[in-house]
Amino acid sequence: MKVISQNTAFGGMQGVFSHDSAACKGEMTFAVYVPPQAISEPRPVLWYLSGLTCTHANVTEKGEYRRMASELGIIIVCPDTSPRGSDVPDELTNWQMGKGAGFYLDATETPWAEHYQMYTYITEELPAFASQHFRMDMSRQGIFGHSMGGHGAMTIALRNPERFKSCSAFAPIVEPSTADWSVGAFEKYLGPDKTAWRHYDACALVKDGARFPEFLIDQGKADGFLENGLRPWLFEEAVKGTGIGLTLRMHERYDHSYYFISTFMDDHLKWHAERLG
């Protein structure tokens, strides 16, 4: 593991690290906040997945999570959103595809499949790697994210309910298989057969029988992507009668930015802490 930076914050350590990824076939960067309680005992861990065009740095620099994470004693891991490097395929003029837009799926189509294995990276490789270096209680894991990362968090939780005890999202893409800003990426990554897309679509997973105890979703009503990309009401409709709990909070005047995320970050951390124990 390569140390990129380490800083003390609220008695804990905010670090940025990189490592060689077998899944993504290249160097991957991730950030970790370790609270002071982890000096003496393993602590629960929260995985935060960022949105389109982001890296680990967006939430690390603007998410305002360290004070509450320190108070609650939660480790927070913030992966990158895609593989990087000069040999990694990309679409330079398309912000919804390629670097910064991995959609937390395992691509099956050329040329994307060689590097874009973000589902495997997030669910298998990074947890196995990070838990070797930080005092994580892997029996107490939660996951959350923003936008594309909210989509990733919800689909990963629905597919791995035995691993995660909690899941929440800020302005998630709940049905990416029909959303304007994700359909093109799904077809390029996964091919034209839309049955393969359902594994990475929260609404489709619920309709196909996947279950998770409950979700917390915060959404700004002034979000410019609300009507064509996010549409949380579709997930609200999908979970009716399934036994899946949903707290959907719609907020006047809030948009899609980190001003919105930082406003409700403490709420999400407390919500996860109650479920992680």
Side-chain angles (χ1 to χ4, degrees):
M1 184 171 68
K2 177 182 177 182
V3 178
I4 297 174
S5 65
Q6 286 183 297
N7 300 94
T8 300
F10 298 98
M13 184 278 296
Q14 176 64 67
V16 179
F17 309 92
S18 67
H19 70 119
D20 290 330
S21 167
C24 297
K25 292 183 172 58
E27 187 175 59
M28 294 292 288
T29 300
F30 64 98
V32 181
Y33 179 72
V34 182
Q37 297 89 332
I39 294 173
S40 57
E41 63 179 357
R43 300 304 301 171
V45 57
L46 259 179
W47 304 88
Y48 179 89
L49 307 184
S50 291
L52 282 162
T53 75
C54 293
T55 68
H56 68 280
N58 293 73
V59 69
T60 303
E61 296 172 0
K62 297 181 287 187
E64 301 183 20
Y65 59 82
R66 279 171 287 269
R67 180 187 60 80
M68 186 55 64
S70 174
E71 180 180 321
L72 297 171
I74 298 176
I75 295 172
I76 299 185
V77 184
C78 309
D80 201 350
T81 53
S82 76
R84 306 283 175 172
S86 58
D87 60 335
V88 174
D90 193 18
E91 290 190 0
L92 295 176
T93 60
N94 183 4
W95 62 276
Q96 298 169 335
M97 186 70 196
K99 294 177 185 177
F103 277 96
Y104 304 102
L105 51 77
D106 283 350
T108 57
E109 301 299 296
T110 304
W112 312 101
E114 182 177 1
H115 294 278
Y116 286 79
Q117 300 294 307
M118 288 300 294
Y119 179 84
T120 294
Y121 177 71
I122 297 295
T123 61
E124 298 179 17
E125 185 175 27
L126 184 57
F129 180 81
S131 62
Q132 295 177 21
H133 296 275
F134 305 99
R135 195 167 286 173
M136 298 176 173
D137 182 349
M138 301 302 279
S139 68
R140 294 188 290 168
Q141 296 185 68
I143 191 166
F144 68 148
H146 169 232
S147 193
M148 178 184 74
H151 135 75
M154 293 173 68
T155 57
I156 287 171
L158 283 163
R159 293 178 61 177
N160 299 273
E162 73 291 339
R163 178 183 302 181
F164 296 100
K165 294 183 178 297
S166 57
C167 180
S168 70
F170 302 98
I173 309 171
V174 300
E175 193 174 84
S177 63
T178 64
D180 288 353
W181 61 352
S182 48
V183 167
F186 268 46
E187 184 162 8
K188 291 175 183 178
Y189 284 137
L190 300 171
D193 183 1
K194 294 186 178 182
T195 58
W197 301 12
R198 300 182 72 83
H199 299 298
Y200 304 104
D201 183 304
C203 288
L205 283 167
V206 170
K207 293 173 184 177
D208 291 345
R211 295 293 180 264
F212 195 77
E214 58 182 330
F215 295 89
L216 167 65
I217 295 176
D218 276 312
Q219 173 66 60
K221 289 187 177 181
D223 191 321
F225 301 111
L226 179 59
E227 294 293 331
N228 295 322
L230 307 173
R231 306 170 298 166
W233 49 84
L234 297 180
F235 191 71
E236 186 176 36
E237 184 64 28
V239 301
K240 286 181 179 179
T242 65
I244 297 173
L246 173 62
T247 301
L248 172 59
R249 307 191 303 185
M250 303 292 295
H251 303 279
E252 298 287 348
R253 302 188 306 279
Y254 283 95
D255 57 20
H256 201 66
S257 71
Y258 268 86
Y259 297 109
F260 158 64
I261 295 168
S262 62
T263 299
F264 299 103
M265 179 63 78
D266 281 4
D267 288 356
H268 282 243
L269 294 183
K270 291 176 181 177
W271 191 85
H272 283 279
E274 290 175 358
R275 287 149 184 83
L276 297 176

